[in-house]
């Protein structure tokens, strides 16, 4: 899967209420499949950086990690108190 | 602009050579336009986290910040030594 196809295929959100949201997507396209995948480890470190700016509860964070061939994608969806 | 529309509209890359690439997208959808925008400050901190895992030269990083109404998007495109 190409790195940019991932974003095009993202489902459309249907929520209509104005909320404060933060979405972080890290896509790693490797040239060889046997390279280490560090995205799972990145997750907590990224949240630590974001927490310097906004207060985030653990329940406010939805985490997904997808792998498809040589492309790994870490997606963090954070709903902030509006 | 809806937060997810941004990703769908991303232009398709035409490069065909296998490279190691890392793309970080942070999209911040605010409920009110007068809230502070901390994405520009986040940029260097995110790179510092990534540098724990891979060696990145400053020249390898392409940074874009887009604003559209109440949605701000920080995009870091990093080409790694393959």
């Amino acid at each position: 899967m190409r790195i940019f196809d991932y974003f095009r295929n993202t489902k459309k959100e249907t929520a209509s209420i104005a909320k404060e949201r933060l979405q972080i997507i890290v896509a790693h396209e490797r040239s060889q499949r046997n390279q280490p995948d560090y995205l799972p480890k990145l997750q907590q470190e990224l949240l630590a950086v974001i927490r310097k700016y906004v207060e985030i509860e653990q329940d406010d964070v939805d985490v997904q990690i997808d792998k498809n061939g040589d492309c790994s994608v870490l997606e963090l969806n954070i709903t902030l108190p509006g």
Side-chain angles (χ1 to χ4, degrees), chain A residues 32-79:
Chain A
Q32 297 171 346
R33 293 199 185 192
N34 55 358
Q35 287 173 288
D37 182 10
Y38 46 81
L39 292 194
K41 291 182 193 168
L42 264 183
Q43 174 186 324
Q44 289 304 321
E45 295 198 55
L46 292 176
L47 284 175
V49 169
I50 302 291
R51 282 201 175 94
K52 292 182 186 177
Y53 298 93
V54 282
E55 205 171 315
I56 307 172
E57 302 291 334
Q58 200 60 46
D59 288 350
D60 300 334
V61 184
D62 174 60
V63 179
Q64 288 191 328
I65 297 182
D66 286 332
K67 284 191 189 185
N68 195 318
D70 53 2
C71 188
S72 298
V73 178
L74 167 67
E75 181 175 343
L76 301 174
N77 282 291
I78 304 163
T79 307

Side-chain angles (χ1 to χ4, degrees), chain A residues 14-29:
Chain A
T14 54
S16 59
I17 301 165
K19 275 185 192 171
E20 174 135 11
R21 294 194 302 172
L22 196 61
Q23 183 181 45
I24 305 169
I25 293 179
V26 183
H28 184 199
E29 194 173 23

